[in-house]
Amino acid sequence: RQLEQENVLLRSEAQPLLIAEARAMRPVLEAIARIGPSQANVLITGENGAGKGIVAQALHAASARKDKSLVTVNTASIPDSLFESELFGHVAGAFTDAKNDRIGRFKLADGGTLFLDEIASIPANLQSKLLRVLESGEFEPVGSSKTHHVDVRILSATNADLGKEVAESRFRQDLLYRLKTVEIRIPPLRERKEDVPLLAAHFLKRHASRYRKELAGLDPAAMQTLLDYSWPGNVRELDH
């Protein structure tokens, strides 16, 4: 059963969702197969470019929410002044440029999954509001007194040490507990070198199609060069 579940994650008729055959990735695959179908909130940790977003997609695909939306928010890219509106929405007139009502990401993800990337970037003054939604599923859009209720599973990701952030009072401990029902750590590419040939072949095929090039593969010397490299930028660097 476990192998069948993992094969669904690893292979599809179009293209693989998650390419991972290295021994170091076995705990990740097992965690996805075990935790994906649950409602547990998951914290995905690992270096930049290691594939945290792909693991979030795999968790969503393995869940009963797979036919609903997976809404992604890169919290590091949102200005502090717009953060509350981005997550919870706002009503017309709530602030100077709010000419129309706006639906927030929590409402868009209702019934599905919300993936909060770079979770350590959430402003301290908004962490309590996020905690409330995680505890009760309730929030009010900016400028509104009407309470909304949503059913959302939360996946979050970070490359930061949230334990250290909590110790230095930059991140709420109770919020961390809510986000980290389960933690999945993704090993860096240098710890899963067996996957380099598979990933390289996948990216080569995808980009050859994109640029309309006829490329059969990489010659042995080129592949050895890829295997000898340490990949500080991880899978994202290999893709580029």
Side-chain angles (χ1 to χ4, degrees):
R1 267 200 311 273
Q2 182 174 315
L3 285 172
E4 288 175 352
Q5 289 175 324
E6 290 176 2
N7 284 337
V8 169
L9 298 173
L10 292 170
R11 300 282 180 260
S12 70
E13 301 235 342
Q15 59 181 2
L17 181 60
L18 181 60
I19 297 173
E21 295 186 7
R23 182 180 295 274
M25 286 295 288
R26 296 302 302 176
V28 175
L29 297 177
E30 291 167 2
I32 292 170
R34 186 178 71 252
I35 300 160
S38 77
Q39 299 297 320
N41 292 339
V42 181
L43 177 65
I44 307 165
T45 58
E47 296 179 4
N48 283 334
K52 297 187 288 294
I54 296 296
V55 169
Q57 291 177 39
L59 285 165
H60 177 71
S63 75
R65 299 171 181 264
K66 62 184 178 183
D67 295 327
K68 300 291 185 178
S69 296
L70 169 63
V71 177
T72 299
V73 182
N74 187 330
T75 61
S77 67
I78 304 173
D80 289 3
S81 59
L82 298 177
F83 207 97
E84 190 173 0
S85 172
E86 191 70 26
L87 289 186
F88 308 127
H90 63 249
V91 297
F95 46 87
T96 304
D97 294 326
K99 297 179 181 178
N100 300 293
D101 291 355
R102 177 189 172 91
I103 297 175
R105 301 298 182 95
F106 268 96
K107 193 69 174 176
L108 289 173
D110 193 14
T113 304
L114 183 64
F115 175 44
L116 299 173
D117 199 6
E118 305 292 348
I119 192 69
S121 301
I122 290 186
N125 62 321
L126 293 178
Q127 291 179 19
S128 60
K129 295 188 176 183
L130 178 58
L131 178 63
R132 179 197 172 198
V133 184
L134 297 184
E135 290 179 336
S136 67
E138 296 181 344
F139 67 92
E140 290 83 36
V142 177
S144 173
S145 59
K146 182 180 179 181
T147 299
H148 294 256
H149 187 278
V150 291
D151 171 24
V152 175
R153 183 189 192 184
I154 301 294
L155 307 177
S156 53
T158 185
N159 65 339
D161 182 346
L162 288 184
K164 182 178 179 182
E165 295 294 302
V166 168
E168 296 179 359
S169 301
R170 289 193 294 266
F171 201 88
R172 291 180 63 120
Q173 188 173 53
D174 47 3
L175 177 57
L176 176 58
Y177 290 154
R178 284 288 177 178
L179 294 169
K180 187 183 172 182
T181 304
V182 180
E183 179 178 351
I184 297 177
R185 176 192 173 271
I186 306 176
L189 188 55
R190 61 183 174 274
E191 294 179 10
R192 44 180 293 216
K193 285 289 188 72
E194 305 98 306
D195 287 336
V196 168
L198 299 172
L199 289 163
H202 168 68
F203 292 137
L204 182 66
K205 180 179 178 182
R206 189 174 71 183
H207 293 305
S209 175
R210 177 183 178 187
Y211 294 109
R212 298 182 177 86
K213 299 289 185 181
E214 294 291 335
L215 298 174
L218 291 158
D219 68 29
M223 182 59 71
Q224 191 59 50
T225 300
L226 297 182
L227 289 168
D228 291 341
Y229 186 56
S230 62
W231 299 109
N234 293 293
V235 179
R236 184 181 297 140
E237 183 181 7
L238 176 57
D239 185 10
H240 286 297

